[in-house]
Every structure is written in structure tokens, then in C-alpha cells.
Amino acid sequence: MRPQWFKKVLVATAISSLCFSSAAMAEKTLKMAYALSKDSHYGAGAKAFEESIGKSTNGEIKIEQFANSALGGEREVIEGLQIGTVDAAILSTGATLNFVPQTGVFDIPFLFRDLDHARKVLDGDIGNKLLAEFPKRGLVALAWGEQGFRHLTNSKHAVKTPADLKGLKIRTTENPIHITAFKELGMLPTPMAWPEVQTALQQGTIDGQENPLSVIVSAKLSSQQKHLSLTGHVYGPAVIVVSPMVYDSMSDEDKAKLKEAALAAAQGMRDFVDNVEKTGLETLTKEGMEITQDVDRAEFAKIVHNVYPEFHKKFSKELIESIQNTK
Ligand code: PAF
């Protein structure tokens, strides 16, 4: 016959192990991938996402961050989201448009006037309709984040007018919209996945690349590129995407918390972009870059507008004009 105290210990142990195992069962860690460092706008977005979901679920949903393309380039990450080997990601539309073609409309050069214009479109009906396209391609998109306006860097010479681009071998994303416009401008576009870019710049197999200040600063491209031209040729959105395997297994309550976390991530990225827009040029100058500010953007835009009829055919003139007319 066991003593009374022994029975109490057994019951207490059983209760506590039950609580522990149910807490452990409820706990979930989501793998979140992105292409840049933790110090980038994507890192800022992932941090805000992690903090928000951690807080709203009392730590039941945790985020494990895989920065610097640790789970592969953006294309592989999207495939991972579709099959459930990656749970969440922050991505550029340069990659998503190969899966959700309609998202490419935001990649049309000289479409947005400024950051406010872009944010208004992305946060409004047009942005929401495009988020709703993702489930048709086996992906769940929760919110539009941001990279900022893309500019050109290269190792050869200052670029002020489209004529200065002649013969420059410029890495582009695997983005047919950008490529069409860049060809029209006289560049030699070389599509390449981001993880290969810095080696290609170092080895001189490409002369330059184009990305927003958020990327140029956080990826320290000043160590490989001498010239930065403020072409602002195209706005770069980002999008927070989760795997349907994760999303569909969640309660409505957790889905709402995930959406809230994605909106926090989007805000984190926009705050980063606002800040780098103010401080980035000074940082890059100190790091030795030569910055061309007086770029003839009107001439760049005029040339790119020659290919707008192609974009009208691809995405509908009405959609493009309703983006342009958003005030
Ligand atoms: O240039 C790109 O491929 C993208 O802008 C990057 C740097 C991977 C961020 O999404």
C-alpha cells in the first residue's frame, strides 16, 4: 500500500506533465525565410512579425528566422511555401510574378509617383485584389510590405542619361517586366537570382545591378560598386506570404493574429525604408560611393513609356490607369 504523500506526488506529476505536454503541443515554430540580412528592411519586417505573433499568442507561435537566403533563392522559397517545407516568407514581386503573374503590374517602371502613391494603391482595393490572387497558386499572401524605389549601381561610370547605359551589363531580377523596360533603355539585362549577385559583382561578370537604397545599404553594395545613380526607375513592393499548409491548419482566431503580424511586418519595412531614404545617401557617400543625383528621369520615363502598350495588353489598360489615377 503506497502512502498518501506518494499518491499526491503522482497526481501532481501527472497534472503538470499533462499541462506541459498540452502547452508543448500547442506551441508551433514557423520557419520564416527572406533574402537579406537581419539588419535589412526584411529583417525589420521579420522582427515585427515575430514580436507581434509572439505577443498575440502568448508565445504559442514562435518564428525562426532564416535570413540571407538560408533556405534558397526567392524562387526556391516560393516552391517551399507551396509544398510546406517553408512556413512563411518575405518576398519581392520580382519573384512572385513568376507564380502569380498579376503581381507583375506593380513592377512596371515609372508607374508610381512616390512612396505615398504606392502605399495607397497597395493598401487599397487594387492591392487587396492582388493578395486574393495568391491562393489560386497555392500561396497565402497576408500584406504588402516594401523595398522602396529601385536605383542603379555600377562599377564603370556615372549614369545620368539613358545613353550612359549603353553596353552596361546589369543584373536584373528574373522579372520579364523589368527586362522588357531595361532592353528598351539600351541596357544588357542579365537575369540572375540574388544569392549569386555579390559574387558576380566581385568577379566582374556583371557591371552593375539595380535595387532600392534599403538593399544597397544593408547588403553593403558600396564595397563592390562605385557609382550610384538615383534613377528611381521602379517601385519595389514586398509581400508577406505563408504556406497554405500552415494557414489552413489554423483557427480563425490564429489566422487573424497572423494577419495582424503581417501588417506589423509591413509597417516595420516601411519605417525602415522611410529612415534609409533620409540617411542612406550619407552612409553610402561615407563608404566611398559616388552618387549621381541629377539623373534625367524624364528621359528614362519617356523611353519606357514606348513599351507601355505591351504592359496594357498584359495587365489591362484599365488596371494600369486606375493605379496611375489613384490620388
Ligand atoms: O534584387 C532582388 O532580387 C530583390 O530585390 C532582393 C534583393 C532579393 C530582395 O527581395
Side-chain angles (χ1 to χ4, degrees):
M1 182 85 172
R2 283 172 175 156
Q4 200 58 21
W5 66 265
F6 185 78
K7 280 189 193 153
K8 277 189 189 153
V9 170
L10 268 188
V11 170
T13 310
I15 290 172
S16 84
S17 77
L18 199 71
C19 291
F20 179 78
S21 69
S22 69
M25 267 168 64
E27 256 180 36
K28 206 183 186 96
T29 299
L30 304 183
K31 283 190 259 173
M32 181 171 222
Y34 51 96
L36 298 162
S37 74
K38 286 196 174 178
D39 295 332
S40 67
H41 50 305
Y42 282 4
K47 184 166 182 269
F49 189 85
E50 180 174 348
E51 284 172 1
S52 170
I53 197 75
K55 197 162 164 212
S56 63
T57 64
N58 292 321
E60 270 178 22
I61 299 182
K62 296 192 189 332
I63 303 298
E64 189 179 1
Q65 294 186 35
F66 291 84
N68 289 317
S69 310
L71 299 184
E74 291 191 321
R75 180 184 278 274
E76 288 91 63
V77 166
I78 297 175
E79 285 161 0
L81 289 163
Q82 287 176 322
I83 58 171
T85 52
V86 178
D87 299 318
I90 300 177
L91 297 160
S92 69
T93 43
T96 61
L97 71 64
N98 291 311
F99 296 79
V100 188
Q102 296 89 329
T103 58
V105 72
F106 296 143
D107 287 314
I108 297 177
F110 299 103
L111 179 66
F112 293 108
R113 292 181 298 277
D114 50 31
L115 290 175
D116 280 348
H117 178 205
R119 291 172 186 178
K120 206 163 253 166
V121 171
L122 293 167
D123 293 345
D125 275 1
I126 297 173
N128 287 332
K129 277 194 188 130
L130 287 181
L131 291 179
E133 290 296 318
F134 282 73
K136 298 177 194 161
R137 306 296 164 132
L139 298 161
V140 179
L142 296 174
W144 290 107
E146 175 167 273
Q147 302 215 68
F149 278 89
R150 297 174 85 95
H151 305 292
L152 182 81
T153 68
N154 83 91
S155 56
K156 298 285 182 197
H157 54 246
V159 171
K160 200 169 163 181
T161 67
D164 299 327
L165 290 172
K166 208 159 183 288
L168 282 182
K169 207 166 172 198
I170 301 294
R171 175 269 173 173
T172 64
T173 58
E174 293 154 306
N175 179 333
I177 309 304
H178 286 187
I179 294 170
T180 302
F182 295 159
K183 278 191 182 150
E184 188 69 16
L185 283 165
M187 274 190 213
L188 296 175
T190 308
M192 190 182 283
W194 175 252
E196 292 156 38
V197 172
Q198 297 209 334
T199 314
L201 289 174
Q202 261 156 19
Q203 294 176 344
T205 48
I206 47 173
D207 302 317
Q209 64 84 52
E210 49 77 54
N211 250 306
L213 288 181
S214 55
V215 177
I216 299 169
V217 172
S218 63
K220 302 217 178 306
L221 292 185
S222 56
S223 61
Q224 289 136 352
Q225 300 273 267
K226 184 76 185 160
H227 303 280
L228 164 62
S229 296
L230 298 183
T231 46
H233 51 276
V234 66
Y235 174 76
V239 62
I240 298 113
V241 182
V242 294
S243 167
M245 307 334 178
V246 169
Y247 193 73
D248 294 343
S249 70
M250 283 183 163
S251 64
D252 286 350
E253 204 188 326
D254 281 350
K255 283 180 183 163
K257 289 173 183 169
L258 214 57
K259 174 84 180 174
E260 191 180 279
L263 291 171
Q267 191 56 47
M269 282 185 247
R270 288 178 182 182
D271 290 346
F272 187 105
V273 169
D274 284 339
N275 185 48
V276 85
E277 290 292 323
K278 287 192 203 118
T279 60
L281 295 186
E282 200 185 323
T283 308
L284 296 170
T285 307
K286 277 194 193 137
E287 290 172 2
M289 281 191 110
E290 280 174 17
I291 300 172
T292 306
Q293 305 220 27
D294 56 342
V295 171
D296 189 352
R297 289 189 74 247
E299 188 56 24
F300 276 84
K302 196 172 128 200
I303 294 175
V304 170
H305 278 115
N306 292 335
V307 284
Y308 262 53
E310 238 178 88
F311 300 144
H312 289 157
K313 246 193 255 152
K314 198 166 193 132
F315 299 108
S316 108
K317 191 166 187 229
E318 203 191 341
L319 172 62
I320 292 173
E321 286 179 351
S322 65
I323 293 175
Q324 288 169 319
N325 294 335
T326 301
K327 294 280 181 297

